[in-house]
Amino acid sequence: SVAESSRLKGKQMTSGGLDKLFEFQAKTPEMEKLRGHYGISATDANAMTTLPAQAAMAVTALTSGVSRVVSATICDGLDTHFEDWTTQQCPRQLAAFELVSKIIDDLASKPFSEKSGDSWLDHVTILAFSEFSRGPTLNNYTGRDHHLTNSCLVAGAGIAGGRVVGASSNVAMAPTLTNLKTGNFDPGGEIVKPEHI
């Protein structure tokens, strides 16, 4: 039965020593390389709770077969209503995009199988998004408030890169009608929504 199969798989995972895959502070060449790539401390007691460690855990879970779907927080502190946008939000977003780049590089460097010649990036689709968007204009505190229009980044398997799909309007930065095949403005198109992604 499905339940019994799941129980046996769970037992295998808990007794199979999979925890060793995530001991990023271990003094092995493999873990040293991983720490260097993601910028994870070898000695800090809190290192495993950092955003880079979460990204490394996500990639490790995928590439080791622990999970087929993962999620990781790659940025925090973006709710900047009362903080200066340029000194707070921009550096945090830059760090997040650099972390996405490290995830992509890591997946691209790992062979998917010995026979295929593919990398893991050829078999993984990455979706990076925020649960809410920031407004296009600064508020009275030089921060930005929530907004209806948002964006996301999609990369990896099956994605034709280097494209922008959809746009916001010049007035109020509202979403515009988009041809879902071309990604361009189309008066007969649709507003791009999460279900389209």
Side-chain angles (χ1 to χ4, degrees):
S1 79
V2 173
E4 179 62 10
S5 174
S6 295
R7 185 188 74 76
L8 292 173
K9 183 67 173 174
K11 183 178 179 182
Q12 176 190 3
M13 289 181 72
T14 56
S15 63
L18 295 176
D19 57 323
K20 302 277 187 244
L21 297 169
F22 301 92
E23 290 180 355
F24 298 155
Q25 292 182 316
K27 295 179 181 178
T28 65
E30 181 180 275
M31 291 305 177
E32 286 178 21
K33 181 179 177 184
L34 183 138
R35 284 194 303 272
H37 180 73
Y38 284 98
I40 300 169
S41 169
T43 57
D44 184 356
N46 297 317
M48 298 309 294
T49 63
T50 64
L51 301 175
Q54 289 184 46
M57 284 182 212
V59 171
T60 301
L62 284 174
T63 59
S64 64
V66 171
S67 181
R68 293 184 63 198
V69 177
V70 296
S71 64
T73 300
I74 58 164
C75 193
D76 58 10
L78 295 180
D79 203 8
T80 53
H81 297 273
F82 308 104
E83 298 177 35
D84 185 302
W85 175 265
T86 57
T87 61
Q88 301 297 316
Q89 183 84 222
C90 291
R92 292 173 187 158
Q93 285 192 22
L94 177 60
F97 284 119
E98 288 174 347
L99 192 48
V100 169
S101 178
K102 289 177 182 182
I103 290 169
I104 290 171
D105 289 345
D106 195 7
L107 290 168
S109 73
K110 294 183 185 314
F112 183 73
S113 72
E114 293 177 18
K115 296 178 183 178
S116 73
D118 291 347
S119 74
W120 271 92
L121 188 60
D122 296 317
H123 295 268
V124 173
T125 302
I126 298 166
L127 172 62
F129 65 93
S130 174
E131 78 276 15
F132 60 83
S133 182
R134 307 310 309 180
T137 58
L138 296 176
N139 62 25
N140 292 338
Y141 303 99
T142 67
R144 289 190 171 167
D145 297 319
H146 298 213
H147 197 258
L148 293 176
T149 305
N150 203 349
S151 61
C152 68
L153 175 145
V154 186
I159 304 300
R163 295 183 57 208
V164 174
V165 176
S168 54
S169 69
N170 292 336
V171 178
M173 301 296 282
T176 61
L177 298 174
T178 301
N179 179 313
L180 298 178
K181 291 185 180 187
T182 66
N184 298 324
F185 171 76
D186 183 341
E190 301 180 51
I191 291 175
V192 180
K193 297 179 180 172
E195 55 265 28
H196 294 122
I197 309 301

